[in-house]
Amino acid sequence: CGIGGPSRLLAAGYGCRVAGLDLTEAYCRAARVMAGWVGLDGKLDYCAGDALALPFASSQFDLVWTQHVAMNIADKPRLYGEVRRVLKPGGRFALYDVLQGTAGEIRYPVPWARDPAISFPATAEALRAHLTAAGLEVLHWEDNSARSLDWFRGRRRQAAEGGGPPPVGPRILIGEDFQVLLGNLARSLEEGRAATLTAICRAV
């Protein structure tokens, strides 16, 4: 969940209750504080834990989603098995992740990994196979690579016109070289070394 931005957006926009999970307790503490700032602490809960051993009961959730997560997790079968375990029958799983492209290895460093030792992006074919094997039926499958590239190009235009990054943003968490990391990801997308994907699945 990082520091909780997407969870706050969902809770505020849809009135739902959200449980966030992150390996880093400090991120969870920050997310709790910010939830209180915007009056959402009653709808949001954050805990530190491992995505391969989710600290939740089976069939607990209507929806599970991951966002920029699976690239750092080697054991995809266990990850998606845990997702299926905590979903109610018929529940939905939504994901957005960076995938391995077809034109060679991703250029490192990137925002989620300084080198390939902790980077495990799946190919689109492997990802679909993992989801299906875990008992997750694919309902929607969308390659977002072109849209991601448009976003990167917009940032480049903004920088060229003198508009820098906001004073508070990902660089606070990731480091001052965040723009370099984003540049490597953008180049990997342009060269077909990386792809971005949105998928929605149903627990069967």
Side-chain angles (χ1 to χ4, degrees), residues 36-103:
W37 287 347
V38 295
L40 290 171
D41 43 339
K43 290 188 174 295
L44 298 168
D45 184 39
Y46 301 98
C47 65
D50 184 352
L52 299 181
L54 292 173
F56 305 115
S58 298
S59 302
Q60 182 172 345
F61 295 103
D62 299 302
L63 170 72
V64 173
W65 96 98
T66 61
Q67 184 175 333
H68 293 284
V69 168
M71 306 94 68
N72 285 117
I73 298 176
D75 193 348
K76 303 283 194 296
R78 188 170 171 189
L79 169 66
Y80 298 124
E82 278 292 276
V83 167
R84 174 60 187 88
R85 180 184 67 78
V86 301
L87 274 173
K88 296 175 183 177
R92 298 296 194 261
F93 172 48
L95 69 91
Y96 176 85
D97 271 312
V98 180
L99 302 183
Q100 175 62 53
T102 59

Side-chain angles (χ1 to χ4, degrees), residues 76-196:
K76 303 283 194 296
R78 188 170 171 189
L79 169 66
Y80 298 124
E82 278 292 276
V83 167
R84 174 60 187 88
R85 180 184 67 78
V86 301
L87 274 173
K88 296 175 183 177
R92 298 296 194 261
F93 172 48
L95 69 91
Y96 176 85
D97 271 312
V98 180
L99 302 183
Q100 175 62 53
T102 59
E105 188 175 274
I106 291 170
R107 295 184 180 276
Y108 292 92
V110 285
W112 68 89
R114 299 286 169 167
D115 60 63
I118 58 167
S119 182
F120 310 99
T123 64
E125 294 78 10
L127 174 59
R128 187 183 281 267
H130 290 316
L131 294 169
T132 300
L136 296 162
E137 177 190 6
V138 176
L139 303 177
H140 177 78
W141 190 265
E142 182 179 357
D143 187 316
N144 295 127
S145 302
R147 189 180 304 172
S148 297
L149 274 173
D150 285 344
W151 182 84
F152 281 118
R153 289 164 180 159
R155 286 183 65 96
R156 287 176 187 165
R157 285 193 298 271
Q158 181 184 30
E161 293 166 1
V168 177
R171 66 187 180 85
I172 300 298
L173 300 177
I174 296 174
E176 291 298 326
D177 62 346
F178 184 61
Q179 295 302 316
V180 173
L181 308 183
L182 276 184
N184 285 340
L185 177 53
R187 188 176 173 191
S188 293
L189 284 165
E190 287 171 337
E191 296 172 348
R193 297 170 181 267
T196 57

